[in-house]
Amino acid sequence: MATAASALLRRAPFALAAAVPAGLAGCNWLGSESGDGHKFRIDAVDVLPITHLKDQGFTSAGLSNQKSFGYAKFISDDDCVLGDVILKKTTDPVRARAYMRAGPRETLHFDPKDTRAAIVTCGGLCPGLNTVVKNLVEILGTRYGVEKVYGIRGGYRGFTAVGWDAPLELDAAAVGDVHREGGTVLGTSRGGFDAEKIVDWLKAKRVNQLYVVGGDGTHRGAYKLAELCWEKGVNIAVAGVPKTIDNDIGIIDRSFGFMTAVSEATRAIEAARTEASCNMPNGIGVVKLMGRSAGFLAAYATLASQDVDLCLVPEVPIVLDGPSGLLPHLERVVDQKGHAVVVVAEGAGEEVLGASAEVDAGGNRKLPPIGTWLKDRITAHFKSLDREATIKYIDPSYMVRSVSADASDSYLCMLLAHAAAHGAMAGYTGFTVGLANNRTVMIPIPELAKASPRSLNATGRTWERVVAVTNQPCNTARCDVQQMTSDKAVQAATGGDA
C-alpha cells in the first residue's frame, strides 16, 4: 500500500487531452506497477455530456457573469469529476466515467432581467425541501437578479389542477425563515403530470427556467418536459434536484435530508430500547422505518444507534426459524441482555408477506404491513415457548421525514440549489445535480433515472458492518442471499457501497 500511495503522490494527475472529441477524454495516468505487469491505470475518461440549449438551436444571450459572480472562480466545461475513485490492478484497458463539475459559468445563456423561474416540489416530504426552495429563490433573485420566481403549489398538479394553478410569487423576504420549518412551503402531491399542459402553462407565464425537486419518477417527468420544450421550440432550461428519504437515487453520494432522517430514526430506536429494557420480562422494541425497496435508512440508523440487535431490509430475505432464524436469535439476545431491539424497513419481508398489486397516485406499489406482522410473529413465538414477552411497536415513519434539515443537510441543500441555478443560467437543461465523491456535479437526467432506484448491496461493506454491530445470524444476512454474478452487476445495482 505504501508503494502505491507514494506512486500516486509522485505522478501527475490525469490530464484531459484537448484533441479528443467532446464527451471523451484520454488519460495518461499510470499508478503503481507490480512485478507481474498489473497496473493501477485509467486509459480514458467518458464525461457524460449535458444538453445545452444552444445545441437545440436556441439563441444564447451570451452575457458575462462577472456582475454576479466575478469575485469567484468560474467553472470550465472541461472540468470533470470522476464517478468511481476505486481502482483495481489490471492489464486490461480501463475507461472511467466522469460528470461535468457544477458551479458558476463565465457566460450566461439567459439575461437575468428577462428571466422568470418556477420551482416545484413533488412526491413525499423530506427534510430540507424548504432549504432547497429558499436557496434557489435567494441565488436567483439576489445574486443573479432574475425578474420573477414562481412557487408551484402542490407538485405537478399545481400547474393544471383548478384552484391549485395560481402560483406563489417568491422573493428573499418570503422565504427568509422557511428553512427552519419541516415540509415544503409550496406543498406537494403525487401524480397529476401532464407534459403538454405544463409546457403551455410555462409559456403562458413566460417562464424560461423550471426547477424540479423530487425522486427518480419526478425526474423522468422533468426530462419529458425538457424534451417537449425542445420539440416545441421553447427556450426553457429544466433542472432537477434529487430528493428521496430512502437514499435510493443512483449515482449521487447521498440525498439531501437522508442524514437528518437517520438522526431522527435513532431517537425512535432509543425510545424502543428504553421501552424494551424497562418493561419486564423479555422486553422487545420493534421500530419500522421507511425504505420501500432499499434499506439504507434502516441500516444507517442501526449503525448510528449501536443499540439494535436485529436489522431487516428489503434486500435480504427474512428467515424466521431454524438455527439461523431471526426468532431464535431474539431468544438468545433476550436471554443474554433481558431485552432486544429490532429495526425493520417497510419494504422488507416481501418473500414471506407477498407483493401487493395496489399502487398509489404516484405509481408506487403499496406495501404489506411488515411492522405489525413482525410484532405478531414475535409475540406468537414467545407464547409458543410458554414465555412471557412485552413487545413495544414504534412507527416513526412520518416523524423522521417531516422535520427541518440538520446542519449537514442544510449545507448540502444549499450546494445543490446553487448548482442547479448555475447550470440553468448557463443554458444547460435536462440535468440534475448531486454530490459525486463529495464534489457537486451535473448529471444527465436519463443517466440518473437509469441508475435508480438503487438498492443496498447485500454483499457489501455497509451490510457487513450491520451484521457485525447487531451480531445477527449470517443466514439472515449474507449466506442466503443470491450472489450477483460479477462486480459490475453489484456496482450497477447499488451505485457502490463502501
PDB file of all heavy atoms in Angstrom, residues 262-289:
ATOM      1  N   VAL A 262     -31.848   9.867   9.382  1.00  0.00           N
ATOM      2  CA  VAL A 262     -31.119   8.883  10.184  1.00  0.00           C
ATOM      3  C   VAL A 262     -31.064   9.328  11.639  1.00  0.00           C
ATOM      4  O   VAL A 262     -31.305   8.535  12.565  1.00  0.00           O
ATOM      5  CB  VAL A 262     -29.694   8.674   9.623  1.00  0.00           C
ATOM      6  CG1 VAL A 262     -28.839   7.858  10.599  1.00  0.00           C
ATOM      7  CG2 VAL A 262     -29.742   7.980   8.273  1.00  0.00           C
ATOM      8  N   SER A 263     -30.755  10.596  11.865  1.00  0.00           N
ATOM      9  CA  SER A 263     -30.699  11.120  13.232  1.00  0.00           C
ATOM     10  C   SER A 263     -32.043  11.002  13.939  1.00  0.00           C
ATOM     11  O   SER A 263     -32.113  10.604  15.107  1.00  0.00           O
ATOM     12  CB  SER A 263     -30.251  12.589  13.222  1.00  0.00           C
ATOM     13  OG  SER A 263     -28.940  12.714  12.730  1.00  0.00           O
ATOM     14  N   GLU A 264     -33.121  11.348  13.227  1.00  0.00           N
ATOM     15  CA  GLU A 264     -34.447  11.236  13.825  1.00  0.00           C
ATOM     16  C   GLU A 264     -34.805   9.776  14.093  1.00  0.00           C
ATOM     17  O   GLU A 264     -35.439   9.453  15.104  1.00  0.00           O
ATOM     18  CB  GLU A 264     -35.497  11.865  12.897  1.00  0.00           C
ATOM     19  CG  GLU A 264     -35.407  13.377  12.805  1.00  0.00           C
ATOM     20  CD  GLU A 264     -35.676  14.046  14.146  1.00  0.00           C
ATOM     21  OE1 GLU A 264     -36.701  13.729  14.789  1.00  0.00           O
ATOM     22  OE2 GLU A 264     -34.846  14.880  14.549  1.00  0.00           O
ATOM     23  N   ALA A 265     -34.400   8.881  13.205  1.00  0.00           N
ATOM     24  CA  ALA A 265     -34.689   7.459  13.390  1.00  0.00           C
ATOM     25  C   ALA A 265     -33.989   6.916  14.630  1.00  0.00           C
ATOM     26  O   ALA A 265     -34.530   6.049  15.331  1.00  0.00           O
ATOM     27  CB  ALA A 265     -34.265   6.675  12.151  1.00  0.00           C
ATOM     28  N   THR A 266     -32.782   7.410  14.908  1.00  0.00           N
ATOM     29  CA  THR A 266     -32.075   6.928  16.103  1.00  0.00           C
ATOM     30  C   THR A 266     -32.807   7.331  17.383  1.00  0.00           C
ATOM     31  O   THR A 266     -32.706   6.638  18.396  1.00  0.00           O
ATOM     32  CB  THR A 266     -30.629   7.452  16.144  1.00  0.00           C
ATOM     33  OG1 THR A 266     -30.627   8.885  16.178  1.00  0.00           O
ATOM     34  CG2 THR A 266     -29.835   6.973  14.941  1.00  0.00           C
ATOM     35  N   ARG A 267     -33.553   8.429  17.329  1.00  0.00           N
ATOM     36  CA  ARG A 267     -34.354   8.816  18.501  1.00  0.00           C
ATOM     37  C   ARG A 267     -35.462   7.806  18.741  1.00  0.00           C
ATOM     38  O   ARG A 267     -35.765   7.459  19.894  1.00  0.00           O
ATOM     39  CB  ARG A 267     -34.934  10.219  18.293  1.00  0.00           C
ATOM     40  CG  ARG A 267     -33.897  11.322  18.214  1.00  0.00           C
ATOM     41  CD  ARG A 267     -34.514  12.659  17.875  1.00  0.00           C
ATOM     42  NE  ARG A 267     -35.498  13.078  18.860  1.00  0.00           N
ATOM     43  CZ  ARG A 267     -36.266  14.146  18.729  1.00  0.00           C
ATOM     44  NH1 ARG A 267     -36.194  14.885  17.630  1.00  0.00           N
ATOM     45  NH2 ARG A 267     -37.124  14.470  19.661  1.00  0.00           N
ATOM     46  N   ALA A 268     -36.066   7.331  17.672  1.00  0.00           N
ATOM     47  CA  ALA A 268     -37.098   6.298  17.810  1.00  0.00           C
ATOM     48  C   ALA A 268     -36.492   4.996  18.323  1.00  0.00           C
ATOM     49  O   ALA A 268     -37.097   4.292  19.147  1.00  0.00           O
ATOM     50  CB  ALA A 268     -37.787   6.067  16.462  1.00  0.00           C
ATOM     51  N   ILE A 269     -35.287   4.674  17.855  1.00  0.00           N
ATOM     52  CA  ILE A 269     -34.614   3.462  18.323  1.00  0.00           C
ATOM     53  C   ILE A 269     -34.272   3.571  19.802  1.00  0.00           C
ATOM     54  O   ILE A 269     -34.408   2.608  20.558  1.00  0.00           O
ATOM     55  CB  ILE A 269     -33.352   3.201  17.473  1.00  0.00           C
ATOM     56  CG1 ILE A 269     -33.758   2.862  16.030  1.00  0.00           C
ATOM     57  CG2 ILE A 269     -32.514   2.080  18.064  1.00  0.00           C
ATOM     58  CD1 ILE A 269     -32.591   2.812  15.062  1.00  0.00           C
ATOM     59  N   GLU A 270     -33.849   4.752  20.222  1.00  0.00           N
ATOM     60  CA  GLU A 270     -33.560   4.965  21.641  1.00  0.00           C
ATOM     61  C   GLU A 270     -34.820   4.789  22.486  1.00  0.00           C
ATOM     62  O   GLU A 270     -34.791   4.210  23.578  1.00  0.00           O
ATOM     63  CB  GLU A 270     -32.977   6.361  21.849  1.00  0.00           C
ATOM     64  CG  GLU A 270     -32.804   6.792  23.303  1.00  0.00           C
ATOM     65  CD  GLU A 270     -31.838   5.904  24.072  1.00  0.00           C
ATOM     66  OE1 GLU A 270     -31.023   5.207  23.450  1.00  0.00           O
ATOM     67  OE2 GLU A 270     -31.918   5.922  25.322  1.00  0.00           O
ATOM     68  N   ALA A 271     -35.942   5.280  21.980  1.00  0.00           N
ATOM     69  CA  ALA A 271     -37.213   5.096  22.692  1.00  0.00           C
ATOM     70  C   ALA A 271     -37.563   3.615  22.786  1.00  0.00           C
ATOM     71  O   ALA A 271     -38.022   3.131  23.831  1.00  0.00           O
ATOM     72  CB  ALA A 271     -38.326   5.862  21.986  1.00  0.00           C
ATOM     73  N   ALA A 272     -37.328   2.881  21.685  1.00  0.00           N
ATOM     74  CA  ALA A 272     -37.609   1.441  21.692  1.00  0.00           C
ATOM     75  C   ALA A 272     -36.710   0.712  22.681  1.00  0.00           C
ATOM     76  O   ALA A 272     -37.149  -0.218  23.376  1.00  0.00           O
ATOM     77  CB  ALA A 272     -37.424   0.874  20.285  1.00  0.00           C
ATOM     78  N   ARG A 273     -35.446   1.113  22.753  1.00  0.00           N
ATOM     79  CA  ARG A 273     -34.530   0.490  23.706  1.00  0.00           C
ATOM     80  C   ARG A 273     -34.963   0.757  25.144  1.00  0.00           C
ATOM     81  O   ARG A 273     -34.946  -0.140  25.996  1.00  0.00           O
ATOM     82  CB  ARG A 273     -33.109   1.011  23.490  1.00  0.00           C
ATOM     83  CG  ARG A 273     -32.054   0.299  24.341  1.00  0.00           C
ATOM     84  CD  ARG A 273     -30.787   1.097  24.441  1.00  0.00           C
ATOM     85  NE  ARG A 273     -30.984   2.358  25.140  1.00  0.00           N
ATOM     86  CZ  ARG A 273     -31.035   2.466  26.464  1.00  0.00           C
ATOM     87  NH1 ARG A 273     -30.925   1.398  27.236  1.00  0.00           N
ATOM     88  NH2 ARG A 273     -31.217   3.648  27.016  1.00  0.00           N
ATOM     89  N   THR A 274     -35.380   1.993  25.410  1.00  0.00           N
ATOM     90  CA  THR A 274     -35.845   2.337  26.756  1.00  0.00           C
ATOM     91  C   THR A 274     -37.073   1.522  27.133  1.00  0.00           C
ATOM     92  O   THR A 274     -37.152   0.965  28.232  1.00  0.00           O
ATOM     93  CB  THR A 274     -36.157   3.846  26.848  1.00  0.00           C
ATOM     94  OG1 THR A 274     -34.977   4.586  26.536  1.00  0.00           O
ATOM     95  CG2 THR A 274     -36.649   4.216  28.227  1.00  0.00           C
ATOM     96  N   GLU A 275     -38.038   1.451  26.216  1.00  0.00           N
ATOM     97  CA  GLU A 275     -39.255   0.676  26.478  1.00  0.00           C
ATOM     98  C   GLU A 275     -38.921  -0.807  26.690  1.00  0.00           C
ATOM     99  O   GLU A 275     -39.434  -1.450  27.617  1.00  0.00           O
ATOM    100  CB  GLU A 275     -40.224   0.819  25.308  1.00  0.00           C
ATOM    101  CG  GLU A 275     -40.887   2.182  25.203  1.00  0.00           C
ATOM    102  CD  GLU A 275     -41.968   2.368  26.251  1.00  0.00           C
ATOM    103  OE1 GLU A 275     -42.393   1.371  26.877  1.00  0.00           O
ATOM    104  OE2 GLU A 275     -42.400   3.524  26.432  1.00  0.00           O
ATOM    105  N   ALA A 276     -38.051  -1.341  25.843  1.00  0.00           N
ATOM    106  CA  ALA A 276     -37.727  -2.766  25.928  1.00  0.00           C
ATOM    107  C   ALA A 276     -36.978  -3.094  27.215  1.00  0.00           C
ATOM    108  O   ALA A 276     -37.232  -4.131  27.851  1.00  0.00           O
ATOM    109  CB  ALA A 276     -36.895  -3.183  24.718  1.00  0.00           C
ATOM    110  N   SER A 277     -36.054  -2.239  27.602  1.00  0.00           N
ATOM    111  CA  SER A 277     -35.234  -2.529  28.779  1.00  0.00           C
ATOM    112  C   SER A 277     -35.997  -2.326  30.086  1.00  0.00           C
ATOM    113  O   SER A 277     -35.660  -2.938  31.105  1.00  0.00           O
ATOM    114  CB  SER A 277     -33.979  -1.649  28.781  1.00  0.00           C
ATOM    115  OG  SER A 277     -34.322  -0.278  28.850  1.00  0.00           O
ATOM    116  N   CYS A 278     -37.031  -1.486  30.058  1.00  0.00           N
ATOM    117  CA  CYS A 278     -37.764  -1.183  31.296  1.00  0.00           C
ATOM    118  C   CYS A 278     -39.004  -2.056  31.485  1.00  0.00           C
ATOM    119  O   CYS A 278     -39.483  -2.202  32.617  1.00  0.00           O
ATOM    120  CB  CYS A 278     -38.170   0.286  31.309  1.00  0.00           C
ATOM    121  SG  CYS A 278     -36.784   1.443  31.423  1.00  0.00           S
ATOM    122  N   ASN A 279     -39.557  -2.579  30.400  1.00  0.00           N
ATOM    123  CA  ASN A 279     -40.767  -3.397  30.502  1.00  0.00           C
ATOM    124  C   ASN A 279     -40.375  -4.867  30.619  1.00  0.00           C
ATOM    125  O   ASN A 279     -39.982  -5.505  29.634  1.00  0.00           O
ATOM    126  CB  ASN A 279     -41.667  -3.166  29.281  1.00  0.00           C
ATOM    127  CG  ASN A 279     -42.423  -1.865  29.366  1.00  0.00           C
ATOM    128  OD1 ASN A 279     -43.455  -1.775  30.032  1.00  0.00           O
ATOM    129  ND2 ASN A 279     -41.902  -0.837  28.715  1.00  0.00           N
ATOM    130  N   MET A 280     -40.482  -5.378  31.816  1.00  0.00           N
ATOM    131  CA  MET A 280     -40.048  -6.739  32.117  1.00  0.00           C
ATOM    132  C   MET A 280     -41.254  -7.677  32.204  1.00  0.00           C
ATOM    133  O   MET A 280     -42.346  -7.235  32.519  1.00  0.00           O
ATOM    134  CB  MET A 280     -39.266  -6.729  33.432  1.00  0.00           C
ATOM    135  CG  MET A 280     -38.065  -5.802  33.412  1.00  0.00           C
ATOM    136  SD  MET A 280     -37.334  -5.554  35.037  1.00  0.00           S
ATOM    137  CE  MET A 280     -36.752  -7.220  35.387  1.00  0.00           C
ATOM    138  N   PRO A 281     -41.066  -8.967  31.904  1.00  0.00           N
ATOM    139  CA  PRO A 281     -39.806  -9.556  31.437  1.00  0.00           C
ATOM    140  C   PRO A 281     -39.746  -9.587  29.921  1.00  0.00           C
ATOM    141  O   PRO A 281     -40.760  -9.438  29.236  1.00  0.00           O
ATOM    142  CB  PRO A 281     -39.899 -10.972  31.997  1.00  0.00           C
ATOM    143  CG  PRO A 281     -41.377 -11.286  31.909  1.00  0.00           C
ATOM    144  CD  PRO A 281     -42.090  -9.983  32.194  1.00  0.00           C
ATOM    145  N   ASN A 282     -38.543  -9.801  29.414  1.00  0.00           N
ATOM    146  CA  ASN A 282     -38.335 -10.050  27.980  1.00  0.00           C
ATOM    147  C   ASN A 282     -38.922  -8.957  27.099  1.00  0.00           C
ATOM    148  O   ASN A 282     -39.741  -9.207  26.216  1.00  0.00           O
ATOM    149  CB  ASN A 282     -38.943 -11.406  27.587  1.00  0.00           C
ATOM    150  CG  ASN A 282     -38.399 -12.554  28.423  1.00  0.00           C
ATOM    151  OD1 ASN A 282     -37.245 -12.515  28.844  1.00  0.00           O
ATOM    152  ND2 ASN A 282     -39.226 -13.559  28.668  1.00  0.00           N
ATOM    153  N   GLY A 283     -38.511  -7.729  27.359  1.00  0.00           N
ATOM    154  CA  GLY A 283     -38.999  -6.621  26.546  1.00  0.00           C
ATOM    155  C   GLY A 283     -38.330  -6.592  25.179  1.00  0.00           C
ATOM    156  O   GLY A 283     -37.115  -6.774  25.058  1.00  0.00           O
ATOM    157  N   ILE A 284     -39.140  -6.368  24.165  1.00  0.00           N
ATOM    158  CA  ILE A 284     -38.620  -6.280  22.799  1.00  0.00           C
ATOM    159  C   ILE A 284     -39.239  -5.051  22.129  1.00  0.00           C
ATOM    160  O   ILE A 284     -40.461  -4.908  22.092  1.00  0.00           O
ATOM    161  CB  ILE A 284     -38.941  -7.536  21.969  1.00  0.00           C
ATOM    162  CG1 ILE A 284     -38.298  -8.772  22.614  1.00  0.00           C
ATOM    163  CG2 ILE A 284     -38.456  -7.375  20.523  1.00  0.00           C
ATOM    164  CD1 ILE A 284     -38.641 -10.076  21.924  1.00  0.00           C
ATOM    165  N   GLY A 285     -38.387  -4.172  21.619  1.00  0.00           N
ATOM    166  CA  GLY A 285     -38.847  -2.995  20.890  1.00  0.00           C
ATOM    167  C   GLY A 285     -38.691  -3.203  19.399  1.00  0.00           C
ATOM    168  O   GLY A 285     -37.628  -3.612  18.935  1.00  0.00           O
ATOM    169  N   VAL A 286     -39.753  -2.935  18.646  1.00  0.00           N
ATOM    170  CA  VAL A 286     -39.729  -3.068  17.187  1.00  0.00           C
ATOM    171  C   VAL A 286     -39.971  -1.695  16.576  1.00  0.00           C
ATOM    172  O   VAL A 286     -40.974  -1.045  16.873  1.00  0.00           O
ATOM    173  CB  VAL A 286     -40.802  -4.056  16.698  1.00  0.00           C
ATOM    174  CG1 VAL A 286     -40.789  -4.148  15.173  1.00  0.00           C
ATOM    175  CG2 VAL A 286     -40.594  -5.434  17.312  1.00  0.00           C
ATOM    176  N   VAL A 287     -39.042  -1.254  15.730  1.00  0.00           N
ATOM    177  CA  VAL A 287     -39.148   0.048  15.075  1.00  0.00           C
ATOM    178  C   VAL A 287     -39.236  -0.160  13.574  1.00  0.00           C
ATOM    179  O   VAL A 287     -38.357  -0.790  12.974  1.00  0.00           O
ATOM    180  CB  VAL A 287     -37.931   0.937  15.394  1.00  0.00           C
ATOM    181  CG1 VAL A 287     -38.058   2.288  14.688  1.00  0.00           C
ATOM    182  CG2 VAL A 287     -37.791   1.141  16.900  1.00  0.00           C
ATOM    183  N   LYS A 288     -40.296   0.355  12.952  1.00  0.00           N
ATOM    184  CA  LYS A 288     -40.422   0.284  11.494  1.00  0.00           C
ATOM    185  C   LYS A 288     -40.010   1.616  10.898  1.00  0.00           C
ATOM    186  O   LYS A 288     -40.506   2.675  11.295  1.00  0.00           O
ATOM    187  CB  LYS A 288     -41.859  -0.032  11.073  1.00  0.00           C
ATOM    188  CG  LYS A 288     -41.979  -0.329   9.575  1.00  0.00           C
ATOM    189  CD  LYS A 288     -43.419  -0.352   9.102  1.00  0.00           C
ATOM    190  CE  LYS A 288     -43.931   1.050   8.849  1.00  0.00           C
ATOM    191  NZ  LYS A 288     -45.230   1.082   8.141  1.00  0.00           N
ATOM    192  N   LEU A 289     -39.090   1.554   9.926  1.00  0.00           N
ATOM    193  CA  LEU A 289     -38.607   2.761   9.267  1.00  0.00           C
ATOM    194  C   LEU A 289     -38.939   2.712   7.781  1.00  0.00           C
ATOM    195  O   LEU A 289     -39.212   1.647   7.224  1.00  0.00           O
ATOM    196  CB  LEU A 289     -37.092   2.894   9.444  1.00  0.00           C
ATOM    197  CG  LEU A 289     -36.604   3.058  10.878  1.00  0.00           C
ATOM    198  CD1 LEU A 289     -35.077   3.075  10.918  1.00  0.00           C
ATOM    199  CD2 LEU A 289     -37.158   4.343  11.500  1.00  0.00           C
TER     200      LEU A 289
END
